[in-house]
Amino acid sequence: MAATSKKKRTAGRILAVGAGLATVGALVAALPAGASGTKGDGNRGRYVDVQLLSFNDLHGNLEPPTGSAGRVTHTNPDGTTRTIDAGGVEYLATHLRQAREGNRYSITAAAGDMVGASPLVSGLFHDEPTIEALNRLKLDVTSVGNHEFDEGAKELARIQNGGCHPTEGCFEKGKRFRGADFPYLAANVTNEKSGKPLLDPYFIWEHKGVRIGFIGVTLEGTANIVSAEGIKGLKFGDEVETINKYAKVLERKGVKSIVALLHEGGAPASGSYNYDCDSPGPGDGISGPIVDIAKNVSPQVDALVTGHTHQAYACTIPDPAGKPRTVTSAASFGKLYTDTTLTYDRRSKDIVRTAVSSANHVVTRDVPKAEDMTRLITRWNALAAPIASRPVGYISGDVDNPADAPEKPLGNLIADAQLEGMAPADKGGAQLALMNPGGVRAPLVHKASGAEGDGVVTYGEAYTVQPFTNMMTAVDLTGAQLITTLQQQVSGANQAAPKILQVSKGFTYTLDLTKTGADRIVTSSVKLNGAAIDPSKTYRVAMNEFLAGGGDGFAVLKEHKNKLVGGSDLDVFTAYLAAHSTPAAPLAPPATGRITVVK
């Protein structure tokens, strides 16, 4: 049957909010006729090629992301590389629509973080513009990611089901937010007391007898990287156990073709989107959590669409039976999409795994813009313009945020701003500041993004850098706790994927990458303004609420004392820019060197 109406497509997908959380029955929906592709005769042939288009970690990037955040690297046949400007939903829509042409069986799926940490044109309106864009993109299904929980379970319910914001109301006169036309899947997010899923655990796509099941999960560690307040009463379960559990459920329902949408990922050995991570052997060129997950997910699952790490790969990793299985990720911000061919056997009702092929494609900006997306962006930008276009500072050059560098110029700038904002005695008396690298979302680019002029930092650009509106705190930590904090960057939960905090001016230490775990921090090198940190002394440290709550695996930070809450991180950042720059004397990008790296 076809489920074409909004009412039918969302029936049974409402989260329970308020006093408690209840489960929702699994949603079975059919794709409307006319969006399909076939191998041979689509109605009578044994084999049907189903096109799976996928992407991940859009983070509300409706407009083309700027600077390095808006480029992908391509490796040429001779081994040289070049960068390509990519992304923007006007172009993503065109690429997806062109890719679907001639494919009568086509599914579009995503692997989480569609919203959250978004630029101002979406974030200012609690990501309603992005959901509207995804509806127009004909997204069929997505898993939740950790950022879907940035504003808590109640707001996720509103994103799914619609309705105006509980405190800010409707943003457009006479219009009520309709919510997502596609289901969010959260199989491993359950009520702690009842054990029931918060959202649908799976979705069954069906068209002309072809049935493919999708299981959606977020990373088990989500609770460690989002604000604890918004997820009270929720449990985030093991990814492998959950996927395997629901693979059996789908099998019992007669669904043998299964795709896992997983908001967890890996890191290929190369940053090029077209790197062959199966060279020399299956999965040899990729590391990270996804490797062990893929090796343990049931062979019943035919492909894994992943995310979270913002990396690009289309690999095969052996399943528990030793057979290669496709694992993909399309970087982030809508710069890539993945096109996977799933050959469906009508007789066995399963995917012919040996015939699966997959490749990432660049969302280039040399195609016509999708006019409906241009209208959408123009409409929301008009609402945001009075706030977004206001100048808040001036810079003399790009302030970069390189993903592969432990210390980043923009991270230094933000940490300095936080220290200055929380240093006065009545603001907390901070002596140093620590900033989580994942909270810095985009570089500050010198070239004008609009009519403001080169070097002008607008409120919208500052918001894109720090979109979470975390409140700042000043807390007491002992010197021993400070050293443990640095060690937790590279050990425990962060050993496999280190999270190097950005530090304010005057706080220095050595990071020795020739060693492993906590030994990578040279404790004798940790100094504040040239004086060695005294383990028994108490220091006042500025950080955002996320870090103060032990976020990103920094459990020791929860042991702080004498917390004083200040203004938001964005307000502190913009105040610093205003105080330290003018049109005639723009702020220069901060130098690095606070962290000495030994390789």
Side-chain angles (χ1 to χ4, degrees):
M1 67 177 183
T4 56
S5 73
K6 173 71 165 61
K7 184 176 180 180
K8 288 181 180 178
R9 293 191 68 187
T10 57
R13 273 196 266 124
I14 300 173
L15 295 91
V17 296
L21 296 165
T23 187
V24 182
L27 177 69
V28 180
L31 186 73
S36 51
T38 176
K39 181 175 183 178
D41 187 306
N43 295 316
R44 296 187 297 273
R46 175 175 173 179
Y47 298 104
V48 175
D49 275 355
V50 179
Q51 179 189 58
L52 173 61
L53 302 175
S54 59
F55 55 96
N56 52 276
D57 296 275
L58 180 64
H59 290 289
N61 277 263
L62 301 180
E63 297 178 290
T66 59
S68 58
R71 292 191 287 268
V72 296
T73 301
H74 176 92
T75 298
N76 301 314
D78 63 1
T80 59
T81 62
R82 59 189 173 92
T83 59
I84 305 170
D85 290 336
V89 295
E90 294 161 295
Y91 304 109
L92 177 61
T94 297
H95 280 279
L96 291 179
R97 289 164 184 171
Q98 289 178 348
R100 291 177 187 136
E101 292 177 4
N103 290 281
R104 291 168 48 216
Y105 291 77
S106 184
I107 314 166
T108 303
D113 278 8
M114 294 297 96
V115 299
S118 306
L120 184 136
V121 69
S122 184
L124 189 64
F125 307 106
H126 298 274
D127 282 311
E128 290 183 18
T130 294
I131 297 300
E132 181 184 344
L134 292 171
N135 288 343
R136 292 177 180 273
L137 280 177
K138 303 299 182 186
L139 182 63
D140 289 297
V141 60
T142 184
S143 68
V144 294
N146 54 287
H147 282 281
E148 265 76 25
F149 293 93
D150 280 349
E151 296 188 48
K154 289 184 180 181
E155 176 63 6
L156 176 56
R158 190 183 75 87
I159 288 293
Q160 176 73 90
N161 303 312
C164 297
H165 193 270
T167 58
E168 298 185 42
C170 297
F171 295 111
E172 294 182 288
K173 187 175 181 179
K175 290 185 179 181
R176 181 181 181 276
F177 175 54
R178 62 184 283 185
D181 288 350
F182 50 89
Y184 265 111
L185 304 182
N188 67 331
V189 186
T190 56
N191 183 302
E192 279 185 329
K193 293 181 179 179
S194 70
K196 295 179 178 179
L198 173 70
L199 283 166
D200 290 337
Y202 60 85
F203 167 84
I204 301 173
W205 179 90
E206 182 174 2
H207 184 61
K208 293 185 177 180
V210 175
R211 303 177 80 204
I212 298 177
F214 291 84
I215 302 166
V217 300
T218 185
L219 70 154
E220 184 181 8
T222 291
N224 297 322
I225 53 176
V226 300
S227 175
E229 186 66 27
I231 57 169
K232 279 184 177 179
L234 295 181
K235 179 181 179 181
F236 295 82
D238 181 86
E239 305 96 336
V240 172
E241 290 178 7
T242 304
I243 293 170
N244 291 350
K245 170 186 175 179
Y246 285 104
K248 291 178 181 178
V249 171
L250 287 169
E251 284 267 337
R252 289 197 294 269
K253 290 180 174 289
V255 179
K256 296 182 179 180
S257 299
I258 302 172
V259 175
L261 305 175
L262 169 63
H263 192 71
E264 178 60 292
S270 168
S272 294
Y273 78 91
N274 60 332
Y275 167 68
D276 180 8
C277 50
D278 285 344
S279 179
D284 281 353
I286 188 169
S287 60
I290 196 58
V291 178
D292 285 340
I293 290 172
K295 287 180 177 179
N296 288 284
V297 164
S298 168
Q300 292 171 290
V301 176
D302 298 297
L304 284 78
V305 176
T306 73
H308 187 56
T309 58
H310 291 202
Q311 302 295 306
Y313 47 85
C315 298
T316 57
I317 298 175
D319 68 13
K323 296 180 179 179
R325 176 168 51 196
T326 296
V327 180
T328 67
S329 175
S332 63
F333 301 169
K335 293 178 288 189
L336 301 174
Y337 72 91
T338 311
D339 192 336
T340 301
T341 300
L342 303 172
T343 300
Y344 183 90
D345 184 341
R346 289 186 184 273
R347 190 173 299 171
S348 68
K349 299 182 180 178
D350 206 351
I351 299 299
V352 182
R353 287 258 297 270
T354 55
V356 174
S357 61
S358 187
N360 277 320
H361 299 274
V362 181
V363 177
T364 61
R365 302 176 190 172
D366 57 0
V367 297
K369 294 180 179 180
E371 293 181 3
D372 58 334
M373 295 298 174
T374 301
R375 290 192 297 270
L376 182 154
I377 292 169
T378 300
R379 195 178 91 241
W380 286 104
N381 265 332
L383 290 175
I387 298 172
S389 61
R390 176 169 59 88
V392 295
Y394 305 87
I395 54 175
S396 63
D398 290 351
V399 187
D400 290 327
N401 185 44
D404 57 352
E407 182 184 353
K408 312 168 195 299
L410 186 52
N412 287 352
L413 176 60
I414 290 171
D416 289 348
Q418 294 180 350
L419 174 59
E420 182 168 300
M422 301 300 288
D426 62 339
K427 301 293 186 183
Q431 298 166 274
L432 68 139
L434 304 174
M435 175 63 193
N436 55 305
V440 187
R441 305 305 299 184
L444 280 181
V445 179
H446 184 263
K447 183 176 176 59
S449 59
E452 74 274 11
D454 291 351
V456 179
V457 180
T458 65
Y459 182 84
E461 291 166 339
Y463 184 100
T464 298
V465 169
Q466 289 202 278
F468 295 106
T469 317
N470 262 309
M471 301 308 290
M472 290 303 304
T473 70
V475 302
D476 282 353
L477 292 176
T478 66
Q481 289 171 326
L482 261 178
I483 291 171
T484 299
T485 299
L486 297 182
Q487 292 172 333
Q488 288 182 347
Q489 298 177 116
V490 290
S491 64
N494 294 326
Q495 181 154 341
K499 291 185 175 67
I500 306 302
L501 296 168
Q502 304 300 284
V503 300
S504 55
K505 188 176 182 180
F507 188 65
T508 57
Y509 69 95
T510 297
L511 177 66
D512 188 347
L513 297 181
T514 66
K515 298 180 180 178
T516 59
D519 290 340
R520 287 181 162 184
I521 303 302
V522 181
T523 56
S524 62
S525 72
V526 184
K527 297 179 181 180
L528 179 61
N529 299 322
I533 291 292
D534 183 344
S536 63
K537 186 178 177 181
T538 296
Y539 297 86
R540 290 293 282 172
V541 185
M543 66 186 74
N544 58 41
E545 284 270 29
F546 171 71
L547 277 179
D552 269 353
F554 292 96
V556 69
L557 294 179
K558 291 190 290 185
E559 300 172 10
H560 66 259
K561 295 180 179 179
N562 299 324
K563 181 170 76 172
L564 187 148
V565 178
S568 76
D569 54 4
L570 180 59
D571 287 346
V572 166
F573 184 46
T574 56
Y576 185 87
L577 291 172
H580 292 272
S581 66
T582 65
L587 185 70
T592 55
R594 301 171 190 186
I595 303 173
T596 300
V597 180
V598 177
K599 296 182 180 180

